[in-house]
Amino acid sequence: MRVVYDTAGRTPVRAEFQYVEGSSSDQRAENLPVVQPLTFPLGTGQVELSVRSGQDRDLSWLNRRPTDSQDPGVTARFHSGLPERALFVSRPDDEGLVHVGIHNGTSEQISLRPNTGEQFTHGEYEVSLRYTVGTTEPNVEVVIASKPEPLNRSILQLDSVHTGITVGSWVAIQRPAKGAQGGIPGDAKLAFVTTQVVAARTAAYTNYGITGRGTELTLAAPWLDEFDVLLSHVRDTTVHAAGEPLRLADEPLGEDVHGNEVELAELYDGLRPGRTLIVSGERSDVPGTTGVQATEVVTIAAADPAVDPQLPGDHVHTRLTLTADLAHRYRRETVRILGNVVEATHGESREEAIGSGDSDRVNQTFALWQSPLTWLADDNPLGATPVLEIRVDGVLWHEVDSLAGRGPGERVYITGSTADGRTTVTFGDGISGARLPSGHENIRAPYRFGTGKAANVAADRITQPLTRPLGVTQVTNPRPAKGGADADGPGLTRRTIPLAVSALDRLVSASDYEDFARSRAGIGRAAARELFDGRRRVLHVTVAGTDDVPIDGDSDTLRALRGALTEYGDLNLPVRVDVRELVLLLVAAKVKVARDHAWEVVEPRLRQALLRRLGYEGRELGRPARLSDVLATAHSVPGVDYVDVDVFTGVPASAMPEELTGILTDPGPPKASVAAHPATYDEKVHTVRVANGETLSEICAKYGVPLAELLRLNPDITDTRRLAKGRSVFVFRGIRPAQLALLSPRAADTLILTEVK
């Protein structure tokens, strides 16, 4: 029975009845008050409903037929197939209490406070009371339920089918606290039960007048007690199931990645000593600066499984030992290590027949079908080797510089080129080198073609493999591709051919080293000079790539050059090779166009002339750039009346941040010349001039020097506190390579030409 009050929660306005047995249900609702006792059928019996005065607290009247009254207290009597009970529900008294009485010879009176409940046994029935306020319909609910047959208290019937719950898995059963259930008695230990599933099946069951299919779990421990007999007792139960085991999170490491040991998060197979890796990330060794990315190639010295028993939760992982320390320090969360690393060079592979041999002919010559032929860096005097094999009837023949002096049986050939750039192969005449044997297309050439500056692409630009071996899903180039150069043109060939014969592959003087380096493939400029490096005398060679293409200090071109200088030079003379230091010229000028000439025609001509004169083609290492060169070049262009140069200066790559900021902010009047120093030993010293001193980090940020490098240059600094005023600190000490001052067409806004109207 449910008695509903008005919105003020004072007067009963409706009585609702529901009878449930098995899967059948019968409901009835009557508006209150009733004029006289009302009798109506419900389920298998009858209900007699009446109202009476709620002022009489003596419940002995329940044994008698209630009298009619206009002061509503609701009385209901159940007969004939229903539990023989008389129920009384009063209106709230002055203290807000509702009094509920139940009688069948034995009387029970319960006083309920708002939003509380009560549960007890009355004879052979379970009685549950609930007084609810704070809603649109304040009400009192009285449930009389027959005691069910004893249940297996370890059986848990879920409301629907859950296939993810398996035998042996854990479930957590959470029920509202006793206070939330209105003080209903029960075992407090069953408010939260954690146990395992012994059995699980999909079942169809009928409970509480509801039928349906769901998952029935048999638990290892009970989750019900003898008081859990009504749907309301278990309706608010929450079951947490189908969980997954979770490992505690590792404690984050804040230390930067540096040195020659790197600990990986997991255990990785296949990492063997000698394998090449690529380490990239954001540098943390540049104070005051963030976002500086770096990438370097390292080699594994050892890869061992490791686990720290003193570290809680540690698991087996891989510890890498590198052959050398990392060049930089990296922020740990940004570090990425690539393990599937292979060396790649530009060029497409091809194997094809290039002709047929004829033993009656001498000095047969054939041309490759594809061009240009790919050349790779080598430590021979030429500096490069073509990727070409010549096989005649499956036998390998060898390339030589000249057929002169070769025997009649030597399987050799020489290479040349045609006017359109195709590579030719020429064989002997039977006296100087062997003739070709006769055969049909018996001369085959596996080779590669494709070369030049077009291959110098930025990092992460190579993403489309021509073939996909099993397991390869993606490719990329973490580092920029550098060192590619076009074939020597006629002008460069005229300059390098005399240099190749000047030293005759025997390096004695500094000029021999310079000529030898300059004549090699991929090297466009070279300057050699004997210097003191701080410990001893060395021969320093500064080089620049052809057309000033970028060259890394560890590139194949420089490795091959260093090997060749060691092989063909003086073993007792230490030689050091560095890449040039760029001095980028900045030019801004106003140009007056002569009468009857158009700016649209004159400006491109003047720009090209300045790039030829002050660009790579007209510059040498260690040679200063002069303002007179700009003026002379401009006046040699037809259509230029006069030139007014506003800016003529240079930005060296070694400029410190403060110096660079000053140049770009206020370049000043045009300089008569922009210096380009030859290779020299340099020491740059910073003197502390701040009254309260400076820290090492502040000095590093000012000059852009890593802290580790600053400590290496100043081994006498052992105190990391502020340096006192007047203290001198080395910020650079070593050899600076020769400078190359030039205008670069790749640098925007370095040559600005404005027309004078």
Side-chain angles (χ1 to χ4, degrees):
M1 180 177 70
R2 184 168 177 259
V3 178
V4 180
Y5 297 92
D6 60 8
T7 55
R10 304 298 299 177
T11 304
V13 295
R14 189 171 66 255
E16 300 174 351
F17 299 87
Q18 181 181 17
Y19 174 82
V20 177
E21 183 175 1
S23 60
S24 63
S25 176
D26 188 11
Q27 299 182 9
R28 179 81 176 240
E30 295 292 341
N31 292 328
L32 300 178
V34 293
V35 177
Q36 58 184 358
L38 177 65
T39 301
F40 54 86
L42 180 68
T44 59
Q46 289 184 332
V47 177
E48 182 180 344
L49 176 65
S50 63
V51 296
R52 67 177 302 278
S53 173
Q55 305 302 321
D56 185 5
R57 301 307 179 199
D58 182 8
L59 298 182
S60 61
W61 58 270
L62 287 171
N63 294 320
R64 306 185 301 273
R65 180 182 180 86
T67 61
D68 296 336
S69 174
Q70 298 302 316
D71 188 8
V74 182
T75 302
R77 292 179 182 271
F78 303 102
H79 307 281
S80 307
L82 296 179
E84 295 288 342
R85 296 291 189 278
L87 297 181
F88 169 74
V89 179
S90 74
R91 70 177 185 177
D93 61 13
D94 296 337
E95 297 180 357
L97 300 178
V98 170
H99 303 279
V100 180
I102 182 169
H103 178 74
N104 69 334
T106 302
S107 297
E108 289 281 349
Q109 182 181 7
I110 305 296
S111 298
L112 297 177
R113 294 186 179 277
N115 295 320
T116 62
E118 190 75 27
Q119 180 180 339
F120 57 91
T121 302
H122 193 261
E124 70 273 23
Y125 295 100
E126 294 287 343
V127 180
S128 177
L129 309 178
R130 182 71 181 174
Y131 177 27
T132 304
V133 299
T135 63
T136 57
E137 292 187 331
N139 65 88
V140 174
E141 184 180 75
V142 181
V143 179
I144 302 176
S146 58
K147 292 183 178 180
E149 295 295 328
L151 297 176
N152 186 343
R153 296 171 184 170
S154 297
I155 297 296
L156 175 60
Q157 294 176 331
L158 303 181
D159 59 349
S160 60
V161 177
H162 299 273
T163 58
I165 305 176
T166 59
V167 175
S169 63
W170 287 86
V171 295
I173 306 168
Q174 184 178 8
R175 302 171 65 183
K178 288 294 181 286
Q181 295 189 16
I184 297 175
D187 190 351
K189 296 181 180 179
L190 299 180
F192 191 90
V193 177
T194 303
T195 183
Q196 282 185 291
V197 177
V198 176
R201 70 186 184 95
T202 301
Y205 34 76
T206 302
N207 290 325
Y208 314 108
I210 303 173
T211 62
R213 296 175 68 251
T215 297
E216 183 179 88
L217 304 178
T218 302
L219 307 178
W223 72 284
L224 298 173
D225 59 18
E226 64 273 13
F227 293 100
D228 296 319
V229 294
L230 300 178
L231 177 60
S232 59
H233 300 165
V234 297
R235 183 190 300 274
D236 296 330
T237 299
T238 302
V239 179
H240 305 274
E244 298 180 358
L246 299 177
R247 186 173 65 88
L248 293 177
D250 296 331
E251 181 181 359
L253 299 178
E255 184 184 9
D256 295 335
V257 177
H258 65 286
N260 69 333
E261 286 192 358
V262 179
E263 291 199 22
L264 306 182
E266 303 294 339
L267 183 65
Y268 294 92
D269 294 330
L271 297 177
R272 301 287 183 267
R275 186 162 186 163
T276 300
L277 303 177
I278 288 182
V279 179
S280 63
E282 181 183 342
R283 290 181 57 181
S284 60
D285 54 358
V286 183
T289 304
T290 59
V292 179
Q293 299 291 326
T295 302
E296 56 182 291
V297 179
V298 298
T299 304
I300 299 177
D304 304 310
V307 62
D308 188 354
Q310 303 298 326
L311 185 62
D314 193 20
H315 59 283
V316 179
H317 56 277
T318 299
R319 177 187 290 122
L320 298 178
T321 302
L322 309 179
T323 57
D325 290 346
L326 293 173
H328 311 291
R329 297 177 68 98
Y330 299 94
R331 301 187 191 280
R332 182 173 295 273
E333 64 273 12
T334 67
V335 172
R336 184 177 64 159
I337 300 179
L338 303 181
N340 295 325
V341 178
V342 294
E343 185 178 16
T345 52
H346 185 52
E348 180 181 345
S349 299
R350 179 70 61 90
E351 180 178 356
E352 58 193 9
I354 61 173
S356 302
D358 187 350
S359 59
D360 293 334
R361 299 176 59 185
V362 299
N363 298 125
Q364 282 188 272
T365 300
F366 305 96
L368 302 181
W369 295 104
Q370 302 293 336
S371 64
L373 184 64
T374 299
W375 292 66
L376 298 181
D378 199 356
D379 57 0
N380 57 19
L382 188 59
T385 300
V387 186
L388 170 66
E389 286 185 2
I390 298 296
R391 292 186 177 271
V392 180
D393 293 331
V395 180
L396 180 65
W397 288 49
H398 302 279
E399 181 184 7
V400 293
D401 294 334
S402 174
L403 295 175
R406 299 293 176 174
E410 293 188 52
R411 300 189 299 271
V412 294
Y413 65 91
I414 59 174
T415 57
S417 60
T418 62
D420 58 357
R422 295 173 61 187
T423 299
T424 60
V425 180
T426 303
F427 299 89
D429 57 2
I431 299 175
S432 298
R435 294 188 185 185
L436 290 173
S438 298
H440 176 68
E441 293 189 348
N442 60 337
I443 306 171
R444 301 191 63 83
Y447 66 99
R448 291 170 61 185
F449 66 94
T451 186
K453 293 187 295 183
N456 298 328
V457 297
D460 297 320
R461 293 295 299 275
I462 302 175
T463 57
Q464 296 182 354
L466 292 179
T467 59
R468 291 186 179 273
L470 181 64
V472 175
T473 60
Q474 182 182 356
V475 298
T476 188
N477 60 314
R479 306 179 73 192
K482 298 181 179 180
D486 293 333
D488 295 346
L492 187 58
T493 301
R494 284 192 293 268
R495 296 176 59 181
T496 56
I497 286 180
L499 297 177
V501 299
S502 63
L504 296 177
D505 301 341
R506 294 189 300 272
L507 310 181
V508 179
S509 63
S511 60
D512 293 338
Y513 283 86
E514 181 176 319
D515 294 341
F516 181 84
R518 194 164 185 171
S519 65
R520 293 174 59 83
I523 304 298
R525 300 286 187 272
R529 189 181 186 190
E530 191 174 359
L531 294 172
F532 174 72
D533 67 352
R535 298 180 302 159
R536 57 181 180 175
R537 304 293 295 183
V538 299
L539 182 67
H540 187 273
V541 180
T542 304
V543 297
T546 304
D547 291 334
D548 200 37
V549 296
I551 300 178
D552 283 336
D554 59 348
S555 64
D556 292 340
T557 301
L558 289 195
R559 282 201 299 266
L561 175 59
R562 294 186 181 105
L565 293 178
T566 301
E567 180 178 357
Y568 298 103
D570 186 354
L571 295 178
N572 297 320
L573 178 63
V575 179
R576 174 174 168 176
V577 180
D578 286 322
V579 181
R580 59 95 184 102
E581 178 185 332
L582 178 64
V583 178
L584 187 62
L585 295 179
L586 304 179
V587 179
K590 296 183 179 67
V591 182
K592 183 67 170 67
V593 178
R595 185 178 181 180
D596 298 333
H597 287 267
W599 171 254
E600 293 76 9
V601 177
V602 174
E603 191 272 342
R605 292 177 179 174
L606 176 58
R607 182 177 296 273
Q608 290 300 322
L610 291 175
L611 288 176
R612 281 195 304 270
R613 182 72 174 265
L614 298 176
Y616 179 82
E617 183 179 344
R619 306 298 303 153
E620 291 289 344
L621 290 170
R623 178 187 297 176
R626 305 187 185 280
L627 179 60
S628 57
D629 295 334
V630 178
L631 300 177
T633 302
H635 285 290
S636 66
V637 176
V640 175
D641 189 2
Y642 66 83
V643 174
D644 182 10
V645 179
D646 296 324
V647 176
F648 183 69
T649 186
V651 181
S654 61
M656 297 300 178
E658 289 184 345
E659 181 182 355
L660 180 61
T661 302
I663 294 175
L664 298 179
T665 303
D666 183 16
K671 298 180 179 180
S673 64
V674 176
H677 302 293
T680 182
Y681 179 80
D682 183 26
E683 290 185 348
K684 195 173 188 65
V685 180
H686 169 77
T687 302
V688 178
R689 303 188 185 279
V690 182
N692 60 346
E694 289 181 298
T695 64
L696 294 179
S697 297
E698 291 173 345
I699 298 175
C700 291
K702 183 177 296 184
Y703 291 94
V705 180
L707 182 60
E709 177 67 10
L710 195 66
L711 294 175
R712 186 190 68 83
L713 294 174
N714 302 270
D716 58 320
I717 298 180
T718 58
D719 191 354
T720 58
R721 293 178 298 180
R722 302 184 72 88
L723 301 179
K725 182 179 180 181
R727 176 67 184 270
S728 296
V729 180
F730 285 105
V731 294
F732 180 83
R733 183 165 53 188
I735 293 179
R736 293 193 183 276
Q739 294 178 326
L740 180 63
L742 54 79
L743 273 174
S744 175
R746 297 186 295 271
D749 297 331
T750 55
L751 176 57
I752 301 175
L753 301 177
T754 306
E755 181 185 9
V756 176
K757 298 294 185 179

